[in-house]
Amino acid sequence: MTSTTDTHGNDAGTNTLKITLGSWADLQKEAQAIRYDVFVIEQNIPAELEWDDMDAQCLHAVAYDATGAALGTGRLLPDGHIGRMAVRKSARGLGVGAAILQSLMQQARQRGDQAVKLNAQISAEPFYSANGYSRDGEVFEEAGIPHISMTHQFF
């Protein structure tokens, strides 16, 4: 079962985004294509590190523009972690990532999670900080890329 939320464009005048939430079975085609382009092609992460058994257990989000093109994705794990946040290069800086993140955070809050956690690439730390996340720990490497654990407390 999927659900869709409309979010309005940002101050730069972008078109309306549609955030669709659903299972891996419902959103795999779009989410997998975005993650492949961003992580495997753009960031050179080995494909075998990108796909895991958790996808089937997660709530996924995919953002679509007014034409129906899939622009970004992310997932909420059962333990309250948000991960696999990816936005196509052509859609970065347009509020797509923030809309996906806020949708996943809202779902976590609605199901009663006290906090959400994520492992952010160091280059994305300012984005997550601007969305209410705080650094939690020291820098570590994941797939050859420096990361930092971050947490957002709801209560």
Side-chain angles (χ1 to χ4, degrees):
M1 183 172 158
T2 60
S3 66
T4 302
T5 304
D6 290 333
T7 59
H8 299 290
N10 65 17
D11 293 337
T14 60
N15 291 329
T16 299
L17 292 174
K18 293 187 187 309
I19 307 296
T20 299
L21 300 168
S23 69
W24 185 240
D26 293 330
L27 298 175
Q28 178 179 359
K29 180 181 176 187
E30 294 90 346
Q32 193 168 36
I34 294 164
R35 286 167 46 184
Y36 185 83
D37 288 350
V38 172
F39 297 128
V40 178
I41 300 298
E42 187 180 327
Q43 297 182 358
N44 296 311
I45 294 172
E48 60 271 12
L49 295 180
E50 177 53 28
W51 316 119
D52 62 23
D53 294 336
M54 293 306 298
D55 277 323
Q57 301 174 43
C58 292
L59 174 68
H60 294 266
V62 175
Y64 299 90
D65 68 11
T67 70
L71 304 177
T73 189
R75 71 182 189 181
L76 175 63
L77 285 83
D79 68 358
H81 276 78
I82 290 177
R84 302 303 201 266
M85 290 282 300
V87 174
R88 293 189 189 277
K89 191 180 280 190
S90 62
R92 292 185 193 147
L94 302 177
V96 175
I100 293 167
L101 184 63
Q102 292 301 318
S103 292
L104 292 172
M105 289 170 59
Q106 179 181 14
Q107 293 300 307
R109 191 173 24 248
Q110 285 177 351
R111 72 180 186 191
D113 292 359
Q114 300 293 310
V116 283
K117 296 181 174 278
L118 53 81
N119 294 334
Q121 293 182 10
I122 289 294
S123 62
E125 184 178 4
F127 165 77
Y128 291 110
S129 292
N131 281 279
Y133 286 77
S134 300
R135 187 183 266 231
D136 185 24
E138 298 299 318
V139 175
F140 62 94
E141 278 203 15
E142 188 173 300
I145 299 171
H147 282 71
I148 188 72
S149 292
M150 301 186 82
T151 302
H152 178 88
Q153 297 288 335
F154 293 130
F155 307 104

